[in-house]
Amino acid sequence: MGYLLYGVTIFASVLIVDYLARRRGWSRDRWGMAALTLGPLAVPLIYLVDAAKALRNMMTNALRQ
């Protein structure tokens, strides 16, 4: 029963990460592999990477002015 729950959790995280990567225009294959490797931890990771990218863009724009 535990393996079934683990498999369903991994499958759900792959679907969620695939959707989020597609909306952001990122590589769906790369994020799909991250979801297979990390499982449900890949979902908060995609938000963390998105926030880091936004912060980097904000800092770059602030230095240009």
Side-chain angles (χ1 to χ4, degrees), residues 6-23:
Y6 180 70
V8 169
T9 305
I10 294 294
F11 182 71
S13 66
V14 168
L15 292 178
I16 293 169
V17 167
D18 179 60
Y19 171 75
L20 292 172
R22 189 176 344 128
R23 289 211 45 205

Side-chain angles (χ1 to χ4, degrees), residues 46-63:
I46 202 166
Y47 285 113
L48 181 65
V49 170
D50 194 27
K53 181 180 176 185
L55 182 63
R56 186 182 64 199
N57 288 340
M58 232 174 31
M59 290 173 62
T60 303
N61 290 337
L63 291 175

